[in-house]
Amino acid sequence: QQPVQSPQAVILREGEDAVINCSSSKALYSVHWYRQKHGEAPVFLMILLKGGEQKGHEKISASFNEKKQQSSLYLTASQLSYSGTYFCGTAGGTSYGKLTFGQGTILTVHP
Amino acid sequence: DTEVTQTPKHLVMGMTNKKSLKCEQHMGHRAMYWYKQKAKKPPELMFVYSYEKLSINESVPSRFSPECPNSSLLNLHLHALQPEDSALYLCASSQPGTRQETQYFGPGTRLLVL
């Protein structure tokens, strides 16, 4: 079952913060975050494996609440290069490699 | 090196043509994937090969035929496609068997069926 992302789109000015949420109705074993720019391949950002785990990558971090089956991606002090579509991919059970992607969140950062 | 390469970058074919998409990775990964992505939609899983064996077929029509000749290569053979099959076809690879299994995507082949 496809995870649900919110918001569907967000527009920011450089330096502003954003949060993208991903929730699932099924138990999750891992959440994978990707960013895809127009006409390009999805680029892996990070993977969350444990409940309550928080990971960081430069000014992009994420959390995973296993009990609530939710993950959030935090983008702080956004840069123009952050623009793109963000997808969460979820895996459950023993099919570690089978990711189901959310519908995506379009992030646009303006100067 | 986290590179997955795909050829061709663009492909235009008629509904009676036969063509193939190619994917290659040199990361030593033993799982490879084909995804289909329509504009403004997420990637949709088509096939998964694990240790060169087809492990998942997401009820894909038989006009799409995958092949994994060895652990580094993945092909997708196309025959008698329909215009609605026009999309970006993405290949990915990963090292299977752990919860930290991360998929790395290639740049994709943009397919147009006329």
Side-chain angles (χ1 to χ4, degrees), chain A residues 45-63:
Chain A
L45 294 176
M46 64 188 74
I47 180 174
L48 287 302
L49 295 175
K50 296 177 188 174
E53 181 172 353
Q54 195 140 359
K55 281 196 146 193
H57 175 71
E58 296 182 344
K59 293 177 183 172
I60 301 175
S61 61
S63 63

Side-chain angles (χ1 to χ4, degrees), chain A residues 1-3 22 24 28 30-32 88-92 98-102:
Chain A
Q1 198 150 4
Q2 186 180 38
C22 173
S24 173
L28 298 177
S30 62
V31 179
H32 306 231
C88 67
T90 56
K98 183 173 174 179
L99 291 182
T100 304
F101 288 94

Side-chain angles (χ1 to χ4, degrees), chain A residues 2 29-30 32 34 36 39-42 44 47 49-50 66 87 96-99 101-103, chain B residues 33 35 37 41-43 45 56 58 88 90 97-107 110:
Chain A
Q2 186 180 38
Y29 286 76
S30 62
H32 306 231
Y34 288 83
Q36 185 176 29
E40 298 180 10
F44 172 73
I47 180 174
L49 295 175
K50 296 177 188 174
E66 206 172 303
F87 293 104
Y96 301 133
K98 183 173 174 179
L99 291 182
F101 288 94
Q103 80 277 20
Chain B
Y33 310 77
Y35 287 87
Q37 187 177 28
K41 296 290 187 183
L45 184 65
I56 296 177
E58 293 286 272
L88 179 67
L90 294 162
T98 71
R99 288 179 65 201
Q100 297 181 49
E101 190 172 345
T102 297
Q103 293 184 29
Y104 294 95
F105 285 83
R110 194 162 296 280

Side-chain angles (χ1 to χ4, degrees), chain B residues 32-75:
Chain B
M32 295 185 78
Y33 310 77
W34 281 116
Y35 287 87
K36 174 182 177 180
Q37 187 177 28
K38 299 282 250 182
K40 300 187 180 180
K41 296 290 187 183
E44 287 180 40
L45 184 65
M46 299 174 71
F47 302 103
V48 182
Y49 273 83
S50 182
Y51 297 93
E52 295 89 71
K53 290 198 164 98
L54 183 65
S55 59
I56 296 177
N57 176 342
E58 293 286 272
S59 303
V60 179
S62 60
R63 57 186 184 268
F64 295 91
S65 175
E67 179 197 17
C68 189
N70 60 54
S71 60
S72 302
L73 291 173
L74 185 66
N75 299 322

Side-chain angles (χ1 to χ4, degrees), chain A residues 12-13 15 18 26 39 57 65-66 69 86 102 108:
Chain A
L12 301 173
R13 294 245 176 244
K26 291 171 62 173
H57 175 71
N65 188 320
E66 206 172 303
Q69 292 154 200
Y86 289 77
T108 306

